[in-house]
Amino acid sequence: MADLKGKVAIVTGAASGIGAATTKRLISDGAQVVMTDIQVDAGQALAQELGATFLEQDIGNAERWAEIVDATKDQHGRLDILVNNAGLVVRKSIEEVDLESWNRGLNILLTGPMLGCQNAIRVMKQNPGGPCGSIINVASTTAFTALPTDVTYTSAKSGVRMLSKSVAVHCAQQGYNIRCNAIIPGATSTAITATMPDEVRAVVAATSPLNRFGEPQELAAAIAFLASDDCPFMTGSDMLVDGAALAIHPGF
Ligand SMILES: NC(=O)c1ccc[n+]([C@@H]2O[C@H](COP(=O)([O-])OP(=O)(O)OC[C@H]3O[C@@H](n4cnc5c(N)ncnc54)[C@H](O)[C@@H]3O)[C@@H](O)[C@H]2O)c1
């Protein structure tokens, strides 16, 4: 358990998968959570079940980001945690990708998290007691190893990883007590991976020496740790939750 009592969080992509598990975990650790997603029915139903607030949001929309963060501050008086989690796959190689899907993919996967960081810092700076907070950006093992079948996702997730470091260094140099870290999930059992044929699932599971997918709650536990005050010297880091998929030499 992380101690998140009194903390206020925004979790994007919270209607499903890692975002839903993170919302549950942050609430059970004591935080108040504003969930956002484009999936309104599922988001509202989960918010009602968990006692969270749900707000509809397309994370690629700059004006909506400002509204979401301001509404959170109006409702709760502060913002302590942002989990930039929403995402999707594009599944087009460099020869297949068209400019429209590339731009839309980057808008959701990279511009959205940047806008989230920017708006969260604006409000975290005004927290009673001085600028403080924790931003957790959900990247991917594709920030380190490329998916040839998804040039947009690979490019965006490596961008999210470095976005996190740039934000972390900026906040530290400005003297803000605002940390920013990237979470690096390996293959995880969620809607994104649910449509994989069984033979593909087996190959993907075997990329981890544990020979299985991660579970959303295993990611949520790591996110809750980064969100807590237990790791004040962790900023600008990559936290791998990948079952050692990136640790093993190919062929072993
Ligand atoms: N599942 C995996 O194997 C895996 C591996 C590495 C990284 N990730 C990352 O984890 C994050 C969560 O994905 P997940 O696996 O839980 O998948 P998921 O599909 O279960 O959840 C993603 C959520 O994001 C929401 N979303 C999509 N586009 C959005 C938009 N424009 N605005 C707001 N919300 C939007 C979806 O509605 C959905 O609820 C993503 O960033 C994904 O890239 C997942």
Side-chain angles (χ1 to χ4, degrees):
M1 291 276 288
D3 182 3
L4 302 180
K5 277 192 288 300
K7 293 192 185 290
V8 176
I10 295 173
V11 180
T12 70
S16 163
I18 294 168
T22 298
T23 301
K24 281 183 200 162
R25 176 64 193 245
L26 298 187
I27 289 173
S28 76
D29 288 354
Q32 293 175 290
V33 178
V34 174
M35 310 167 51
T36 82
D37 208 293
I38 46 171
Q39 292 193 66
V40 176
D41 291 348
Q44 280 176 340
L46 188 62
Q48 195 165 12
E49 179 192 325
L50 299 177
T53 302
F54 175 79
L55 297 174
E56 183 177 2
Q57 180 190 24
D58 181 333
I59 57 158
N61 181 315
E63 292 75 32
R64 190 61 181 147
W65 258 118
E67 289 168 6
I68 295 285
V69 169
D70 290 343
T72 303
K73 190 179 176 220
D74 288 348
Q75 187 183 351
H76 297 288
R78 57 186 301 119
L79 176 64
D80 302 283
I81 301 161
L82 169 65
V83 185
N84 264 321
N85 164 76
L88 77 182
V89 285
V90 181
R91 292 205 176 99
K92 289 181 196 285
S93 73
I94 184 63
E95 292 201 77
E96 295 159 344
V97 75
D98 55 278
L99 191 56
E100 193 184 340
S101 68
W102 168 264
N103 282 337
R104 175 74 183 142
L106 287 189
N107 177 249
I108 294 165
L109 290 164
L110 183 54
T111 306
M114 181 281 290
L115 292 168
C117 292
Q118 194 171 63
N119 279 281
I121 291 166
R122 174 172 61 78
V123 169
M124 286 172 171
K125 276 169 65 179
Q126 300 162 14
N127 276 340
C132 63
S134 175
I135 299 172
I136 298 111
N137 293 326
V138 180
S140 160
T141 49
T142 62
F144 295 86
T145 53
L147 274 181
T149 50
D150 201 330
V151 67
T152 314
Y153 188 83
T154 302
S155 305
K157 289 298 189 181
S158 53
V160 168
R161 177 172 169 252
M162 292 309 294
L163 164 74
S164 310
K165 294 183 194 302
S166 184
V167 169
V169 173
H170 171 80
C171 289
Q173 288 181 337
Q174 295 301 312
Y176 308 152
N177 183 22
I178 299 174
R179 296 178 295 110
C180 183
N181 292 286
I183 280 274
I184 313 290
T188 308
S189 295
T190 67
I192 280 184
T193 51
T195 53
M196 282 178 182
D198 285 349
E199 61 275 18
V200 177
R201 276 188 83 79
V203 171
V204 172
T207 60
S208 159
L210 297 177
N211 200 24
R212 68 171 176 86
F213 278 52
E215 295 303 323
Q217 59 272 22
E218 295 176 301
L219 272 301
I223 291 169
F225 171 70
L226 288 175
S228 76
D229 294 333
D230 288 342
C231 46
F233 205 49
M234 276 190 82
T235 190
S237 77
D238 306 313
M239 182 179 268
L240 275 62
V241 187
D242 70 338
L246 289 179
I248 188 167
H249 193 285
F252 283 82

